[in-house]
Amino acid sequence: FGLKTYIAYYHTLQQVYWYASSWNVSLYGWLLRLCGSTEHNASLLALPWLSKKLFYLLAVLLVGFLSRFLLAKNSPDHKTKLDLDFSLTLIAMLLLSPLTWLYYFPLLLIPVVTLLQLAKQYKLTWLYLLTCLSIVLSSISHLSIASTKITSANMLSVFALSSCNVAALVLLFCSIGAARSTLANPSFTEGSFSLSHLEWIAFYVIILLPSLLSILNVVNVTTIFGVSHIPDFSFDHFGT
């Protein structure tokens, strides 16, 4: 590690030509599919010069909000502050990274569980519903389509499906900020929302099942992609 490592990483990123791929659900990838890029992918707006400018602007705003969030001291307790700080940093990392693939989404289990626990502890119905919605959005799976394969024929469907995954990250980010603000309010009072233990178990099964199926689908597609690019691949490699 060190400065040379980061410089080498930066130069490597300049040689990447698949930022606009459908599985890249970072802010940068989303903007390339929205405004266009030099990767020759079809986009909703023919404004490739705007992509990086918007990304830098959003990145500055996001880092500014994250810094203010982490430095704030108005939190209900130390443990809650640590949980929310870590969760928000994790989501910010996924949004700001130039490449954030769908198979990174199991990391969202940390902020999701954190928010659900807060929703249960403080009986916040709105937080419960927003977290459920983010889980559903993150569970929407779709085919991996390379930048050059995004044409005018499939552009709209690719953009819509990948936008659902990006929306899941943005929604979780905003939910954490709203939860922190709500709990830090001196006049905050607990709501009336509550679920029994059996209802919570049913909820986890129903909501998390699509996520598990989505992960399995991603693993399956990734495996098929890998096998198709290894001419001498054989299941004999695994033994009997």
Side-chain angles (χ1 to χ4, degrees):
F1 295 99
L3 182 60
K4 290 184 178 180
T5 302
Y6 289 102
I7 294 176
Y9 176 68
Y10 174 79
H11 288 300
T12 301
L13 288 178
Q14 309 310 307
Q15 304 173 26
V16 173
Y17 54 87
W18 50 84
Y19 288 117
S21 299
S22 61
W23 273 12
N24 181 18
V25 293
S26 67
L27 279 178
Y28 187 56
W30 182 78
L31 287 171
L32 294 184
R33 290 188 293 272
L34 173 66
C35 300
S37 68
T38 57
E39 297 178 10
H40 306 295
N41 61 289
S43 59
L44 293 184
L45 306 174
L47 300 170
W49 58 270
L50 189 59
S51 301
K52 283 191 175 182
K53 290 181 174 60
L54 278 178
F55 174 70
Y56 292 142
L57 174 62
L58 292 174
V60 169
L61 293 175
L62 195 150
V63 171
F65 179 86
L66 177 63
S67 301
R68 183 177 179 182
F69 186 93
L70 296 177
L71 295 175
K73 298 180 180 180
N74 53 340
S75 183
D77 58 76
H78 183 65
K79 180 182 180 302
T80 300
K81 173 176 168 53
L82 286 179
D83 290 342
L84 292 176
D85 286 354
F86 184 84
S87 296
L88 194 72
T89 303
L90 190 153
I91 297 172
M93 175 188 71
L94 295 177
L95 286 171
L96 291 174
S97 173
L99 292 170
T100 297
W101 302 114
L102 272 181
Y103 45 80
Y104 295 175
F105 270 20
L107 293 172
L108 296 181
L109 187 62
I110 297 173
V112 163
V113 170
T114 298
L115 290 176
L116 289 177
Q117 287 179 338
L118 290 177
K120 180 181 179 181
Q121 181 180 352
Y122 295 101
K123 301 178 181 179
L124 300 172
T125 307
W126 61 269
L127 184 59
Y128 170 83
L129 294 175
L130 288 179
T131 306
C132 290
L133 178 57
S134 66
I135 294 173
V136 172
L137 291 173
S138 68
S139 301
I140 296 176
S141 61
H142 44 88
L143 295 176
S144 175
I145 301 178
S147 304
T148 54
K149 300 296 183 181
I150 301 178
T151 64
S152 56
N154 62 7
M155 169 189 64
L156 191 57
S157 61
V158 169
F159 182 80
L161 290 173
S162 60
S163 293
C164 290
N165 304 134
V166 179
L169 294 175
V170 174
L171 187 57
L172 283 173
F173 189 90
C174 295
S175 297
I176 292 173
R180 170 72 167 273
S181 178
T182 299
L183 297 178
N185 190 338
S187 60
F188 165 72
T189 56
E190 293 185 1
S192 58
F193 168 75
S194 65
L195 289 176
S196 66
H197 291 297
L198 184 60
E199 289 172 328
W200 272 105
I201 293 174
F203 159 76
Y204 279 120
V205 171
I206 294 172
I207 295 298
L208 293 180
L209 185 58
S211 296
L212 295 176
L213 293 176
S214 179
I215 293 171
L216 290 175
N217 181 52
V218 169
V219 171
N220 180 52
V221 173
T222 304
T223 303
I224 293 175
F225 178 83
V227 170
S228 65
H229 286 73
I230 305 177
D232 60 343
F233 178 85
S234 171
F235 283 101
D236 293 336
H237 295 169
F238 297 99
T240 56

